[in-house]
Amino acid sequence: GLAEPIRKDIEARLGETVLFSQITPNPRDVDCERGVEVARDFGADVLVAVGGGSAIDTAKCIATILTNGGQPGDWYGFDKLKKYPAPLIAIPTTAGTGSEVTTCAVVTNSATRVKECIQDAKLAPSVALVDPEMTLSVPPLLTAATGMDALCHAVEAYTCTLANPLTDVFALKAISIIARWLETAWANGSDVEARTQMSLGCLLAGYAFSNADTSGVHCMAESLGGLYDTPHGIACSIFLPFVTEFNIPADPQKHGDVAKGRIQA
Ligand SMILES: [Fe+2]
């Protein structure tokens, strides 16, 4: 797939690589542990993640364990990493997760089926190579689902209690871009302008929620994903209208801004 030309290019310029492709949606701790074994056996010193949020989050978890040791479960929670993870270059192939710029990795605990989060400022990838052309072959349903994930990141970052003036700027811009371009990207996947805008919107949303937070939509979507393997963006889409309706009375001003952001797009 998309990883192969990148791998060949790296091998031609820098030397041998090893491919780890046993990535599952809603990646599990056991998948990450397998990846750690492959990386250790090979003696990897740099990781390159080519894929959607599942691939990038798996790579973040592998990179964490390569330098910090232990198992995924040792690092769930906030600011627990003792060392910087191994260098990671993230190349997203979807416009949704924002994982290429965020400081978290979501990993499913396979024993409890709870989606856990390793959250640490050290966890942001060393380099994010965001090339919208990598997203051109994403089919319509996945385009819609990942785009709605990005919209949820932006709306939740803007309306959650940890929002601040800096994250608000990124969140509102992301909302206006995604509202304007998601349907076009869904309807015509080869529209480079729509794909470019969606990659940008997703990136801005990633900055916003990584420095504020997500909230009710993601809490429930992660629970659903952990228990039933529901695709993340679809789970988020299901909850967004209900959580928004519930939250509006708590902050009519900010929800009004969200609505205006969409109209002005
Ligand atoms: Fe998400």
Side-chain angles (χ1 to χ4, degrees):
L2 290 166
E4 208 46 39
I6 294 169
R7 190 182 170 198
K8 281 191 179 136
D9 194 52
I10 293 170
E11 292 200 331
R13 291 162 192 263
L14 299 170
E16 212 183 332
T17 65
V18 66
L19 179 67
F20 178 69
S21 57
Q22 293 153 280
I23 313 278
T24 55
N26 297 311
R28 299 168 302 166
D29 44 13
V30 288
D31 303 321
C32 298
E33 284 167 23
R34 219 171 286 135
V36 170
E37 271 175 41
V38 171
R40 280 202 179 126
D41 288 348
F42 181 72
D45 46 19
V46 177
L47 303 181
V48 181
V50 182
S54 301
I56 298 173
D57 281 6
T58 300
K60 282 175 165 174
C61 185
I62 294 169
T64 294
I65 295 170
L66 283 179
T67 53
N68 287 272
Q71 299 172 326
D74 296 328
W75 308 112
Y76 299 152
F78 287 86
D79 295 331
K80 291 173 80 174
L81 302 194
K82 295 181 172 60
K83 296 179 181 171
Y84 273 89
L88 168 63
I89 299 170
I91 306 177
T93 58
T94 61
T97 165
S99 185
E100 64 275 12
V101 292
T102 67
T103 54
C104 57
V106 180
V107 176
T108 300
N109 180 327
S110 50
T112 61
R113 307 194 74 171
V114 170
K115 288 184 84 168
E116 304 277 4
C117 190
I118 305 171
Q119 173 93 47
D120 194 300
K122 298 185 190 75
L123 196 52
S126 320
V127 175
L129 287 177
V130 182
D131 179 353
E133 291 193 8
M134 295 292 282
T135 68
L136 287 176
S137 60
V138 178
L141 179 60
L142 190 59
T143 299
T146 51
M148 285 303 294
D149 180 29
L151 180 65
C152 291
H153 293 158
V155 171
E156 292 188 272
Y158 189 67
T159 56
C160 76
T161 53
L162 290 175
N164 64 67
L166 293 178
T167 58
D168 284 354
V169 172
F170 287 104
L172 270 185
K173 185 69 180 170
I175 290 166
S176 70
I177 290 173
I178 296 164
R180 163 68 181 83
W181 290 100
L182 175 54
E183 195 172 341
T184 310
W186 166 78
N188 181 9
S190 58
D191 186 324
V192 176
E193 174 67 5
R195 293 295 197 182
T196 302
Q197 293 292 339
M198 282 305 299
S199 288
L200 177 61
C202 155
L203 190 76
L204 296 172
Y207 275 125
F209 90 83
S210 200
N211 290 284
D213 205 347
T214 53
S215 56
V217 173
H218 267 71
C219 290
M220 287 192 269
E222 302 290 29
S223 302
L224 205 63
L227 283 173
Y228 303 111
D229 244 353
T230 315
H232 176 65
I234 290 176
C236 288
S237 308
I238 292 168
F239 292 116
L240 181 63
F242 300 102
V243 173
T244 301
E245 193 176 350
F246 182 83
N247 282 345
I248 284 172
D251 196 338
Q253 169 78 46
K254 278 208 140 178
H255 285 86
D257 293 344
V258 170
K260 278 187 229 152
R262 302 180 77 171
I263 291 163
Q264 286 166 356

mmCIF file of all heavy atoms in Angstrom, residues 96-97 149 153 209 214 218 222 232 236, ligand 1:
data_model
loop_
_atom_site.group_PDB
_atom_site.id
_atom_site.type_symbol
_atom_site.label_atom_id
_atom_site.label_comp_id
_atom_site.label_asym_id
_atom_site.label_seq_id
_atom_site.Cartn_x
_atom_site.Cartn_y
_atom_site.Cartn_z
ATOM 1 N N GLY A 96 -8.461 12.943 10.157
ATOM 2 C CA GLY A 96 -9.426 12.732 11.237
ATOM 3 C C GLY A 96 -8.780 12.764 12.606
ATOM 4 O O GLY A 96 -9.050 13.641 13.414
ATOM 5 N N THR A 97 -7.885 11.833 12.824
ATOM 6 C CA THR A 97 -7.362 11.609 14.169
ATOM 7 C C THR A 97 -6.591 12.788 14.748
ATOM 8 O O THR A 97 -6.695 13.095 15.926
ATOM 9 C CB THR A 97 -6.442 10.376 14.140
ATOM 10 O OG1 THR A 97 -5.673 10.357 15.309
ATOM 11 C CG2 THR A 97 -5.483 10.412 12.957
ATOM 12 N N ASP A 149 -14.828 12.640 13.165
ATOM 13 C CA ASP A 149 -13.954 12.556 14.346
ATOM 14 C C ASP A 149 -13.238 13.893 14.534
ATOM 15 O O ASP A 149 -13.207 14.447 15.645
ATOM 16 C CB ASP A 149 -12.942 11.416 14.147
ATOM 17 C CG ASP A 149 -12.000 11.247 15.325
ATOM 18 O OD1 ASP A 149 -12.403 11.572 16.461
ATOM 19 O OD2 ASP A 149 -10.873 10.761 15.111
ATOM 20 N N HIS A 153 -13.412 16.582 17.609
ATOM 21 C CA HIS A 153 -12.237 17.100 18.329
ATOM 22 C C HIS A 153 -12.351 18.621 18.481
ATOM 23 O O HIS A 153 -12.084 19.168 19.543
ATOM 24 C CB HIS A 153 -10.944 16.778 17.566
ATOM 25 C CG HIS A 153 -10.619 15.321 17.507
ATOM 26 N ND1 HIS A 153 -9.792 14.782 16.551
ATOM 27 C CD2 HIS A 153 -11.009 14.290 18.296
ATOM 28 C CE1 HIS A 153 -9.691 13.482 16.751
ATOM 29 N NE2 HIS A 153 -10.422 13.158 17.797
ATOM 30 N N PHE A 209 -7.520 20.085 20.597
ATOM 31 C CA PHE A 209 -7.942 19.170 21.686
ATOM 32 C C PHE A 209 -6.758 18.633 22.471
ATOM 33 O O PHE A 209 -6.882 18.280 23.635
ATOM 34 C CB PHE A 209 -8.852 18.050 21.158
ATOM 35 C CG PHE A 209 -8.189 16.783 20.690
ATOM 36 C CD1 PHE A 209 -7.836 15.789 21.594
ATOM 37 C CD2 PHE A 209 -7.965 16.560 19.348
ATOM 38 C CE1 PHE A 209 -7.251 14.602 21.168
ATOM 39 C CE2 PHE A 209 -7.386 15.380 18.908
ATOM 40 C CZ PHE A 209 -7.021 14.401 19.804
ATOM 41 N N THR A 214 -10.931 16.599 24.928
ATOM 42 C CA THR A 214 -12.238 16.256 24.370
ATOM 43 C C THR A 214 -13.163 16.106 25.574
ATOM 44 O O THR A 214 -12.754 16.316 26.707
ATOM 45 C CB THR A 214 -12.178 14.949 23.552
ATOM 46 O OG1 THR A 214 -11.604 13.928 24.350
ATOM 47 C CG2 THR A 214 -11.356 15.140 22.285
ATOM 48 N N HIS A 218 -16.340 11.974 23.155
ATOM 49 C CA HIS A 218 -15.236 11.012 23.094
ATOM 50 C C HIS A 218 -15.273 10.028 24.252
ATOM 51 O O HIS A 218 -14.907 8.862 24.075
ATOM 52 C CB HIS A 218 -13.888 11.735 23.013
ATOM 53 C CG HIS A 218 -13.423 11.927 21.602
ATOM 54 N ND1 HIS A 218 -14.023 12.813 20.748
ATOM 55 C CD2 HIS A 218 -12.458 11.301 20.878
ATOM 56 C CE1 HIS A 218 -13.437 12.743 19.570
ATOM 57 N NE2 HIS A 218 -12.485 11.827 19.616
ATOM 58 N N GLU A 222 -15.311 6.243 23.108
ATOM 59 C CA GLU A 222 -14.214 5.333 23.467
ATOM 60 C C GLU A 222 -14.768 4.098 24.174
ATOM 61 O O GLU A 222 -14.275 2.984 23.977
ATOM 62 C CB GLU A 222 -13.185 6.036 24.368
ATOM 63 C CG GLU A 222 -12.543 7.282 23.790
ATOM 64 C CD GLU A 222 -11.578 7.019 22.642
ATOM 65 O OE1 GLU A 222 -11.758 6.028 21.909
ATOM 66 O OE2 GLU A 222 -10.652 7.835 22.452
ATOM 67 N N HIS A 232 -14.073 4.426 15.356
ATOM 68 C CA HIS A 232 -14.039 5.587 16.251
ATOM 69 C C HIS A 232 -14.849 6.778 15.731
ATOM 70 O O HIS A 232 -15.633 7.381 16.460
ATOM 71 C CB HIS A 232 -12.575 5.978 16.482
ATOM 72 C CG HIS A 232 -12.407 7.198 17.299
ATOM 73 N ND1 HIS A 232 -12.792 7.247 18.629
ATOM 74 C CD2 HIS A 232 -11.918 8.433 16.996
ATOM 75 C CE1 HIS A 232 -12.535 8.457 19.102
ATOM 76 N NE2 HIS A 232 -12.003 9.191 18.137
ATOM 77 N N CYS A 236 -18.179 8.521 17.404
ATOM 78 C CA CYS A 236 -18.244 9.955 17.736
ATOM 79 C C CYS A 236 -19.464 10.607 17.074
ATOM 80 O O CYS A 236 -20.168 11.408 17.698
ATOM 81 C CB CYS A 236 -16.974 10.668 17.273
ATOM 82 S SG CYS A 236 -15.514 10.279 18.244
HETATM 83 FE FE FE B 1 -11.157 11.136 18.123
#
